[in-house]
Amino acid sequence: METTSPLGAILQRWWIVVILAFAGVAIGGLPAPATVEEQAITYSATHTMLLNDLSTAQMGDSAVSPSQVQLLATTGEVPERVAEELGFTGNPPTLAAQVAVEFSFETGALTFSTVQESAEAAEQITDAFADTTNRYLAERQDIAYQDRVATALDRLTVLETELDELTVQLGANPADPALLAQRDAVARQYSVAFEQNRALSSAPPVLAFTTLERAQAVPIVDRGLSAPTSRSVRGAMGGIVGAILGVAIAFVLGRLDRRIRTREQAEEVLGMRARVAIPKTRDPQRDKLIVTERRHDPLSDSYRTVRNVVGFVQNSLEPVDRARVTMVVSPGPGDGKTSLATNLAAAFVESGMRTIAVNTDFRRPRLGRAVDGDQQIPHPFTIEDLSVLAPKSLLTRTELPGLLMMDLSSINGSAGELVRATASMMPTLADTADSIVVDTSPVGVTAEVLEMVPFADVIVVVVRIGHTPISAARRAVAVLKDVSNAPILLVVNSVKAERTPYYDYQDGRNASVEGNGWRSKLRPGRKPTEELERIG
């Protein structure tokens, strides 16, 4: 599982949805301007013509069919003539594409329509196409009629000449049956051609149109999608749009997120159940030693729970005559590893066990400051002295009775040398104390942590919600499983937990700690017993 579910991603970033929804309401609810600027104005013009004789359209006797008018008006010679008349320098078909031509067989109406950016252009183009088309139709029909007449005359002349030749031949040989048959056939053809020529002497029906109404431009105003006039409606629409945008952003961020965001996600990513969840608090001392005798709140008790779980796992192992070693690791820096190691050691001391807290994170040593603050005294030794010194001489006392610490970070040496020196002293330390807690370097960052793995009886892996990368967590657990057979416990840090009123009921021996985010409800001036009686 590389990312959270879509619903989980949205719920984790609900504040994005809320912020954008409120922003949409605020923007949408702004007063509308007094006037709305028109986005676009165009002009439409239509030239209407009427067929002179509707019967010509119904009988189809004219040289031009009415069904051909639309084609002739928008292709060929008509667009070329119009382009020349208007001085159009572009391609004539481009100009013709701006004109719509329609013919109705029921009414005989022929309309030319166009939409242009100016009224003058709309009228000129429409009228030019209508007039040019009407003239072209008349010319085309007249040319067709003249061609038919000329053809008929030529046919009649040829037949007449042929008939005269056959008549001359018959005068020389009147009894020739072949000549008689040819003359009769040509005579019949001549008679038919003569009748056709006489019929053409009267003009055929002409497909002609008369203008009913010339083009008059009409403005068309396109306002686009205008906003509602009601502020409440605009605000509601703005809120919906903002919420949709927020959901989309939250979803995208969730798909791109590569960090552990929930306890359930951590369990699924690492393939193990989280034994303890450390709550997220605003306690300024959360990175220090907070497991003390007088402090009992969800944060300190979560570390005590870790101690109990570790102790239960240790008791299930084969018995040994030395101290158990608990190694605290994390996939990367900033996951809360040192805080957990510090307070886990204090929790062991609280249960009556002599405990040694061992630092092996020499690149970023923080265990000493977490336990004793700035009261650490540096060791007056060199890296060469460590081979002859007794491990007990390197232990330092802390303010917490029963808790000793070994931290060689003040000695000048490389991180690898200091870790190996510490590892060589682990058997002796295990015979000295009842419990050992080791704070290591991050598994996914350095290799020194592997020096301490063979000494671990229990390995505690801590991941932090919203901080630990998924890939780093997987890699860390895989490495630990490859190099150690010790039980691995998963602890999830910075889990948002619901506040419980249970910790608000405390007595005088267990006062609430100010600043830990879980304050007591005990009113000033009242004794604990009086307050409990009032509540009860």
Side-chain angles (χ1 to χ4, degrees), residues 41 65 69 115 124 155 179 228 249 257 270-271 275 289 320 408 447 458 462 470 522:
I41 300 179
S65 172
V69 174
V115 177
Q124 288 181 351
R155 175 64 174 167
L179 291 176
I249 293 175
D257 192 3
L270 300 180
R275 301 304 180 95
L289 183 61
V320 293
L408 306 181
V458 178
V462 56
I470 295 175
L522 182 61

Side-chain angles (χ1 to χ4, degrees), residues 160-361:
E160 185 178 2
T161 302
E162 186 177 354
L163 184 60
D164 291 342
E165 292 177 354
L166 291 174
T167 302
V168 172
Q169 293 177 10
L170 281 173
N173 191 8
D176 189 348
L179 291 176
L180 288 174
Q182 291 181 11
R183 189 193 65 175
D184 292 340
V186 172
R188 287 192 297 270
Q189 294 179 16
Y190 179 81
S191 176
V192 173
F194 181 81
E195 292 297 331
Q196 291 178 347
N197 187 50
R198 188 172 63 176
L200 287 174
S201 61
S202 58
V206 178
L207 191 68
F209 295 88
T210 301
T211 298
L212 288 181
E213 183 180 18
R214 298 191 69 81
Q216 293 183 356
V218 177
I220 301 175
V221 179
D222 183 10
R223 301 181 184 273
L225 296 176
S226 58
T229 56
S230 172
R231 294 186 61 184
S232 59
V233 175
R234 294 199 312 274
M237 293 179 62
I240 294 174
V241 173
I244 294 175
L245 181 61
V247 169
I249 293 175
F251 174 75
V252 172
L253 292 177
R255 301 302 297 176
L256 298 177
D257 192 3
R258 292 296 180 267
R259 298 185 182 276
I260 295 176
R261 295 295 176 180
T262 63
R263 175 176 179 173
E264 293 75 15
Q265 186 184 17
E267 293 177 339
E268 185 172 353
V269 166
L270 300 180
M272 62 180 70
R273 184 167 60 89
R275 301 304 180 95
V276 184
I278 299 176
K280 181 180 181 179
T281 67
R282 297 180 180 179
D283 188 352
Q285 301 296 323
R286 63 182 178 276
D287 295 332
K288 304 293 183 179
L289 183 61
I290 64 172
V291 176
T292 59
E293 181 182 359
R294 296 181 57 82
R295 176 162 180 168
H296 288 273
D297 57 6
L299 182 59
S300 60
D301 282 354
S302 65
Y303 292 122
R304 294 183 176 95
T305 304
V306 176
R307 174 201 62 195
N308 295 336
V309 173
V310 171
F312 175 80
V313 174
Q314 290 177 348
N315 292 333
S316 65
L317 301 176
E318 292 293 332
V320 293
D321 55 354
R322 57 171 177 79
R324 293 290 189 180
V325 177
T326 304
M327 190 173 71
V328 181
V329 301
S330 67
D335 290 329
K337 165 182 57 64
T338 300
S339 299
L340 176 59
T342 301
N343 289 282
L344 177 60
F348 277 125
V349 172
E350 192 178 57
S351 64
M353 302 176 66
R354 294 175 301 169
T355 305
I356 299 176
V358 180
N359 172 56
T360 60
D361 186 1

